[in-house]
């Protein structure tokens, strides 16, 4: 239990630093970058109380905002994503709750489960983030391209790290 | 009362969600009014320090290019030295204080964080209130436009880059002084949009656009960019054009903050006119 909590705390700080110091400086296609920090929300244990889920998402988003001078932008998108997480978990899985394991992981739940779970949530997050940022429909398709590009790269990074820690995760 | 309590308890998830969203959105939409707020001061103290550390490491990687730019800048300044100018008429160098008062001063500062890939881009510089920087001051790099100060803390300032939804530069054509305005519509950070080009103007690719000096933010004659392609609109009063920015927004190192010495006088004059 303590192990699980401390692992999540370490992951929280690691992902913030990774996002702020490295990914925020990467330009993909000239005008977007991956948002790996949502991986933290994806990996929270199934047993996390729902209020804690929202609060953690809020803190995570605000921390990223602090470093990119967009107060509230990442927080709003991340809270929205965390709100949808319980519903998405229920929607994508035919697996009974007691067999879900401790936290979402590709090893236990399979590639297809994890991919659809992550894709839906990352898309929700990116949609909210990019459309809130421009807050107008004039550049609709251009923004859509940014959403998709960013989601593809974010998912790529998430799947890559899932594969890297494949052997380490225990049931 | 009890029912109300039970109702909230049952749906607390949705209420908490709505509460956090509303708080985030208030932060987001009030952001530009946050200038100088206390909260801003401590957040920028943290993020400023991290950005500073990052920058001091990253700076080593760009030393070669920085040297090159500084060298170029030096050469330009040397060319402006009195020794480098042929003295046709010595009278020009007599400085009479009442005639030649300097209108602008410049504070040198370093960019410690910067983005070009968002729709609204900001950068942070390593000087703040302590060094005399205030909101709404213009930012230039050499003779090229960069942005505008939006908020300041003791040691740092946030700059709204030209690559921002809210920025509209008052500019003009170098060749005939015709006023236009320049905006950025997202996407490629090197390409902007020139608006309000009068129909009768003959515009060709490569024409230079400079700041007009009408805005109290930038001095006149700061380079904005060159015209790339003109778009004629049959059913509107003005044409538009795309513009290649001359500023390398993604590679900014050292910049200058513009201090308008007469700003107070200008705003007072405007205010007194509005009172009439």
């Amino acid at each position: 239990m303590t192990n699980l909590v401390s692992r999540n705390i370490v992951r929280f700080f690691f992902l913030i630093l990774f996002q702020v110091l490295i990914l925020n400086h990467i330009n993909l296609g000239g005008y977007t970058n991956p948002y790996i920090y949502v991986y933290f929300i994806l990996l929270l244990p199934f047993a996390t109380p729902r209020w804690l889920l929202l609060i953690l998402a809020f803190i995570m988003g605000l921390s990223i905002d602090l470093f990119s001078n967009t107060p509230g932008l990442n927080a709003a998108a991340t809270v929205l994503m965390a709100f949808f997480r319980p519903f998405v978990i229920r929607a994508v899985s035919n697996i009974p709750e007691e067999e879900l394991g401790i936290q979402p992981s590709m090893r236990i739940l399979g590639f297809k489960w994890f991919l659809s779970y992550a894709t839906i949530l990352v898309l929700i997050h990116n949609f909210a983030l990019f459309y809130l940022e421009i807050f107008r429909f004039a550049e609709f398709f251009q923004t859509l391209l940014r959403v998709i590009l960013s989601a593809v790269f974010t998912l790529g990074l998430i799947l890559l790290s899932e594969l890297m820690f494949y052997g380490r995760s225990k049931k | 009362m009890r029912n109300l309590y039970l109702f909230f308890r049952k749906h607390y998830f949705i209420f908490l969600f709505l509460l956090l969203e509303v708080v985030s959105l208030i932060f987001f939409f009030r952001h530009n009014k946050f200038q100088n707020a206390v909260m801003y001061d401590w957040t920028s103290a943290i993020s400023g320090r991290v950005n500073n550390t990052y920058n001091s490491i990253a700076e080593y990687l760009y030393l070669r290019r920085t040297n090159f730019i500084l060298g170029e800048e030096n050469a330009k300044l040397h060319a402006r030295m009195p020794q480098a100018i042929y003295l046709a008429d010595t009278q020009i160098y007599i400085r009479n204080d009442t005639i030649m008062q300097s209108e602008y001063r410049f504070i040198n500062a370093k960019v410690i964080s910067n983005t070009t890939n968002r729709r609204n881009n900001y950068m942070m510089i390593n000087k703040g209130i302590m060094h005399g920087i205030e909101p709404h001051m213009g930012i230039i790099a050499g003779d090229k436009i960069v942005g505008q100060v939006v908020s300041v803390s003791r040691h740092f300032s946030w700059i709204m880059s030209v690559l921002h939804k809210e920025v509209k530069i008052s500019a003009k054509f170098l060749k005939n002084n015709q006023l236009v305005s320049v905006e950025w519509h997202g996407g490629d950070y090197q390409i902007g949009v020139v608006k309000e080009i009068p129909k009768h103007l003959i515009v060709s690719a490569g024409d230079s656009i400079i700041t007009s000096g009408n805005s109290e933010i930038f001095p006149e004659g700061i380079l904005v960019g060159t015209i790339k392609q003109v778009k004629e609109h049959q059913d509107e009063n003005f044409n538009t054009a795309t513009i290649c920015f001359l500023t390398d927004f993604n590679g900014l190192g050292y910049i200058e903050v513009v201090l308008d010495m007469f700003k107070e006088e200008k705003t007072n004059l405007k205010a007194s006119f509005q009172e009439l």
Side-chain angles (χ1 to χ4, degrees):
Chain A
M1 183 64 198
T2 19
N3 189 17
L4 195 65
V5 171
S6 56
R7 273 227 312 261
N8 274 290
I9 292 173
V10 169
R11 191 183 295 131
F12 178 84
F13 286 107
F14 175 75
L15 284 175
I16 288 182
L17 289 180
F18 189 57
Q19 179 71 46
V20 170
L21 295 181
I22 297 172
L23 293 185
N24 277 358
H25 297 272
I26 292 177
N27 289 341
L28 293 171
Y31 51 98
T32 187
N33 52 16
Y35 290 94
I36 185 79
Y37 72 91
V38 298
Y39 193 32
F40 172 74
I41 307 295
L42 289 180
L43 283 195
L44 283 171
F46 288 115
T48 315
R50 297 197 296 178
W51 60 268
L52 188 63
L53 199 65
L54 291 179
I55 299 280
L56 285 175
F58 185 69
I59 297 173
M60 186 73 184
L62 266 193
S63 322
I64 300 292
D65 284 331
L66 200 115
F67 291 100
S68 36
N69 192 36
T70 50
L73 178 64
N74 283 290
T78 318
V79 168
L80 184 74
M81 173 191 161
F83 175 73
F84 278 107
R85 194 187 106 134
F87 304 109
V88 174
I89 289 177
R90 234 173 293 154
V92 294
S93 63
N94 304 316
I95 307 167
E97 237 168 82
E98 53 275 16
E99 283 172 36
L100 280 173
I102 296 166
Q103 62 180 44
S105 104
M106 200 153 92
R107 182 172 171 228
I108 296 164
L109 300 162
F111 180 75
K112 212 181 126 198
W113 188 95
F114 194 85
L115 183 68
S116 39
Y117 166 69
T119 308
I120 295 170
L121 288 179
V122 167
L123 276 177
I124 289 173
H125 172 268
N126 282 1
F127 258 101
L129 189 74
F130 287 109
Y131 281 102
L132 194 59
E133 187 186 18
I134 68 157
F135 208 67
R136 57 166 77 140
F137 280 102
E139 297 156 20
F140 186 84
F141 290 105
Q142 201 182 345
T143 312
L144 193 66
L145 182 74
R146 292 179 68 194
V147 169
I148 292 167
L149 246 176
S150 162
V152 166
F153 282 103
T154 307
L155 284 168
L157 276 175
I158 287 173
L159 291 182
L160 196 72
S161 34
E162 273 296 296
L163 286 173
M164 266 167 63
F165 302 108
Y166 205 72
R168 282 226 309 220
S169 56
K170 281 171 276 173
K171 193 163 181 174
Chain B
M1 200 62 210
R2 195 177 138 74
N3 281 344
L4 192 69
Y5 170 72
L6 285 177
F7 176 76
F8 272 106
R9 233 191 104 158
K10 198 176 161 206
H11 298 286
Y12 83 94
F13 185 53
I14 291 175
F15 285 115
L16 183 64
F17 163 69
L18 289 177
L19 177 79
L20 291 177
E21 281 292 334
V22 168
V23 170
S24 308
L25 292 179
I26 288 173
F27 279 162
F28 181 60
F29 287 111
R30 293 191 50 120
H31 169 50
N32 283 342
K33 290 168 197 156
F34 258 129
Q35 298 163 6
N36 302 326
V38 181
M39 186 191 120
Y40 188 78
D41 217 41
W42 71 260
T43 56
S44 78
I46 303 170
S47 57
R49 202 167 302 157
V50 172
N51 284 331
N52 228 348
T53 315
Y54 176 87
N55 193 260
S56 60
I57 298 166
E59 208 177 16
Y60 282 103
L61 305 174
Y62 300 111
L63 272 183
R64 182 185 290 269
R65 208 183 50 197
T66 311
N67 271 340
F68 177 75
I69 292 169
L70 288 178
E72 223 178 8
E73 190 86 15
N74 261 342
K76 251 186 226 165
L77 292 177
H78 275 303
R80 282 194 207 162
M81 297 268 285
Q83 296 94 311
I85 298 170
Y86 174 69
L87 298 181
D89 182 357
T90 45
Q91 241 186 340
I92 213 164
Y93 292 106
I94 295 171
R95 275 243 163 138
N96 190 335
D97 272 354
T98 52
I99 298 174
M100 292 184 71
Q101 226 173 332
S102 62
E103 187 174 0
Y104 295 100
R105 283 198 192 152
F106 302 92
I107 303 171
N108 182 37
K110 195 173 81 179
V111 177
I112 56 173
S113 90
N114 186 12
T115 63
T116 51
N117 54 8
R118 311 282 163 79
R119 179 61 184 89
N120 299 322
N121 293 289
Y122 292 89
M123 57 190 90
M124 189 188 251
I125 59 171
N126 66 347
K127 301 232 164 129
I129 295 170
M130 263 180 67
H131 311 89
I133 294 175
E134 288 165 20
H136 306 303
M137 286 179 173
I139 305 287
I140 57 175
D143 48 1
K144 303 180 186 94
I145 192 164
V146 174
Q148 180 186 348
V149 179
V150 281
S151 42
V152 283
S153 65
R154 265 181 77 74
H155 301 96
F156 302 100
S157 311
W158 272 114
I159 313 301
M160 175 164 83
S161 136
V162 169
L163 311 177
H164 195 289
K165 194 167 72 180
E166 306 293 337
V167 168
K168 195 175 173 190
I169 308 162
S170 167
K172 65 184 183 184
F173 280 94
L174 179 63
K175 62 178 183 186
N176 52 17
N177 282 344
Q178 290 293 322
L179 288 174
V180 289
S181 72
V182 180
E183 293 171 15
W184 185 64
H185 287 181
D188 190 341
Y189 68 85
Q190 291 169 314
I191 308 293
V193 178
V194 185
K195 286 189 154 180
E196 294 163 30
I197 304 174
K199 284 265 175 182
H200 66 272
L201 271 194
I202 300 162
V203 180
S204 46
D207 284 351
S208 290
I209 301 284
I210 57 174
T211 54
S212 67
N214 290 357
S215 66
E216 292 158 32
I217 296 168
F218 297 104
E220 187 185 346
I222 300 295
L223 289 173
V224 180
T226 53
I227 297 287
K228 192 180 175 211
Q229 198 177 21
V230 187
K231 281 181 205 149
E232 297 200 0
H233 300 283
Q234 297 299 335
D235 45 355
E236 284 169 43
N237 293 330
F238 294 100
N239 290 333
T240 62
T242 49
I243 179 174
C244 284
F245 290 126
L246 284 167
T247 320
D248 178 10
F249 286 104
N250 206 29
L252 288 173
Y254 287 86
I255 50 93
E256 286 120 55
V257 185
V258 182
L259 263 81
D260 187 343
M261 307 303 285
F262 298 139
K263 188 173 182 171
E264 205 176 328
E265 194 178 326
K266 287 177 192 168
T267 36
N268 284 345
L269 181 62
K270 265 193 183 172
S272 68
F273 179 73
Q274 270 153 8
E275 275 166 21
L276 288 178

